[in-house]
């Protein structure tokens, strides 16, 4: 039996007028066309194939199913040109709205204009451009807060000592830039960033970057890694180089990472549940299309997790359903 929309929390937000944008042709977004049987049809354009992206898609798919929404999906695999092609393809399928996990915030303007011209509103996950006026809405992870939380943990742990930090970023152009910039800006004066290279959300690439960093900076104190899959690869590289003392701080809050916190492979992570993001995205899109009250820009909860509170961290990925 379908779970009612917005079942996990009370409806909140501003009046309907804040979620509808006026255009020369009337209200934006337009009334949902729906399928022949009355169901809303959505398209989901995912940005990659990391564990975050996989869990996000599982949550989007599960929530769409539970709300009787027809869903079409596509994956851009960290390529902006592929993202444009995916958006064009889903527009041609006559979806009522698009949920997009973008690979490049700077390229979004063209994506949004293309969809708007076709009468298809875009809803974003994880990040937004500076101007959100042409969006249906978004569910964002406060990546600046995520970066700050990891930096604050280093500040506390360093206790005023002069320390060195290596950064293994994700893919340039979108979420990683926001995350890393916030982390670096929040580090205390006694923490020096000695390396900052992209790992492209690829464990193999991240391991190579970590090997280079530890070779050039054998006394490294901390490493900030933009997701946990890359962090595991970095841990192997550091350990193989005899640098087991390097403390790794990272992002996501997966079950595997919680185990790594408990056994000391990681020092801290920041939980930002992909399950929550995907569920909020579908529920909020459906509510906005139906003219119900909800937040236009909603937020996924974030939380610093260490060995001490790992047992109470929220679920990161939806449980497989059979």
């Amino acid at each position: 039996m379908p779970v009612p929309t917005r079942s996990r929390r009370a409806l909140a937000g501003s009046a309907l007028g804040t979620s509808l944008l006026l255009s020369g042709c009337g209200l934006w977004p337009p009334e949902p066309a729906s399928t022949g049987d009355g169901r809303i049809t959505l398209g989901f354009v995912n940005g990659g194939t990391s564990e975050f992206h996989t869990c996000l898609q599982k949550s989007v798919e599960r929530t769409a199913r539970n709300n009787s929404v027809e869903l079409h999906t596509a994956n851009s695999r960290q390529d902006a040109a592929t993202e444009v092609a995916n958006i064009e393809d889903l527009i041609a399928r006559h979806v009522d709205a698009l949920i997009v996990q973008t690979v490049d915030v700077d390229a979004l303007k063209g994506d949004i204009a293309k969809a708007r011209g076709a009468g298809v509103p875009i809803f974003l996950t994880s990040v937004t451009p500076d101007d959100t006026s042409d969006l249906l809405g978004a569910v964002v992870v406060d990546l600046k807060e995520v970066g700050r939380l990891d930096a604050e943990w280093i500040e506390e742990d360093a206790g005023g000592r002069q320390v060195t930090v290596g950064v293994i970023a994700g893919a340039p152009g979108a979420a990683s830039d926001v995350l890393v910039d916030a982390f670096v800006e929040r580090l205390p004066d006694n923490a020096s960033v000695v390396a900052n290279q992209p790992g492209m959300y690829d464990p193999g690439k991240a391991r190579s970057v970590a090997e280079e960093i530890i070779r050039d900076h054998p006394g490294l104190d901390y490493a900030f890694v933009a997701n946990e899959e890359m962090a595991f690869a970095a841990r192997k590289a550091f350990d193989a180089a005899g640098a087991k003392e390097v403390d790794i701080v990272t992002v996501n809050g997966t079950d595997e990472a919680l185990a790594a916190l408990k056994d000391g492979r990681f020092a801290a992570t920041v939980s930002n549940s992909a399950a929550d993001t995907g569920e909020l995205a579908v529920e909020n899109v459906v509510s906005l299309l139906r003219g119900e009250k909800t937040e236009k820009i909603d937020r996924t909860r974030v939380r610093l997790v260490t060995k001490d509170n790992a047992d109470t961290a929220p679920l990161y990925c939806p449980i497989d359903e059979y």
Side-chain angles (χ1 to χ4, degrees), residues 168 202-212 230 233-234 236-238 240:
I168 302 177
D202 177 78
K205 172 68 173 174
R207 181 161 185 165
S208 296
V209 170
E211 289 169 348
E212 180 179 341
M230 294 194 298
K236 290 177 181 178
F238 294 151

Side-chain angles (χ1 to χ4, degrees), residues 42-88:
L42 300 180
F44 174 54
V45 181
N46 208 346
T49 57
S50 72
E51 185 169 7
F52 167 78
H53 294 98
T54 301
C55 290
L56 177 66
Q57 181 151 332
K58 286 170 64 176
S59 182
V60 167
E61 290 172 341
R62 183 181 65 174
T63 311
R65 187 167 56 249
N66 288 344
N67 286 278
S68 298
V69 169
E70 181 175 329
L71 182 72
H72 301 285
T73 65
N75 198 300
S76 304
R77 299 183 180 275
Q78 298 296 343
D79 182 77
T82 303
E83 180 172 291
V84 173
N86 285 335
I87 287 173
E88 291 174 340

Side-chain angles (χ1 to χ4, degrees), residues 115-272:
R116 184 184 176 94
V120 178
I122 282 185
F123 186 100
L124 296 178
T125 55
S126 297
V127 296
T128 62
D130 292 334
D131 181 4
T132 62
S133 60
D134 283 341
L135 294 178
L136 174 63
V139 172
V140 299
V141 175
D142 189 343
L143 294 170
K144 292 183 179 180
E145 178 66 10
V146 172
R148 286 194 293 265
L149 286 170
D150 271 334
E152 287 170 358
W153 183 89
I154 289 177
E155 179 179 31
E156 182 177 352
D157 188 71
R161 294 181 294 119
Q162 292 295 320
V163 295
T164 54
V165 182
V167 174
I168 302 177
S176 176
D177 291 352
V178 178
L179 173 68
V180 171
D181 288 350
F183 170 79
V184 172
E185 289 172 4
R186 181 58 186 83
L187 284 172
D189 292 340
N190 56 296
S192 300
V193 176
V194 295
N196 185 345
Q197 299 184 46
M200 300 304 296
Y201 297 118
D202 177 78
K205 172 68 173 174
R207 181 161 185 165
S208 296
V209 170
E211 289 169 348
E212 180 179 341
I213 290 175
I214 200 63
R215 182 177 64 247
D216 294 343
H217 306 280
L220 190 72
D221 296 298
Y222 300 96
F224 172 71
V225 189
N227 77 5
E228 291 163 357
E229 287 176 278
M230 294 194 298
F232 279 111
R235 179 77 278 162
K236 290 177 181 178
F238 294 151
D239 290 353
K244 294 185 176 181
E245 70 280 1
V246 176
D247 284 325
I248 291 178
V249 296
T250 184
V251 178
N252 285 153
T254 62
D255 290 347
E256 296 82 2
L258 300 183
L261 289 172
K262 293 177 182 179
D263 65 24
R265 285 174 290 165
F266 294 169
T269 192
V270 178
S271 168
N272 55 300

Side-chain angles (χ1 to χ4, degrees), residues 88-134:
E88 291 174 340
D89 177 66
L90 290 172
I91 288 172
R93 293 171 180 254
H94 305 292
V95 296
D96 295 311
L98 287 166
I99 300 172
V100 179
Q101 172 71 29
T102 189
V103 302
D104 190 342
V105 174
D106 292 334
L108 268 177
K109 185 176 181 180
D111 294 344
I112 294 168
K114 187 178 294 291
R116 184 184 176 94
V120 178
I122 282 185
F123 186 100
L124 296 178
T125 55
S126 297
V127 296
T128 62
D130 292 334
D131 181 4
T132 62
S133 60
D134 283 341

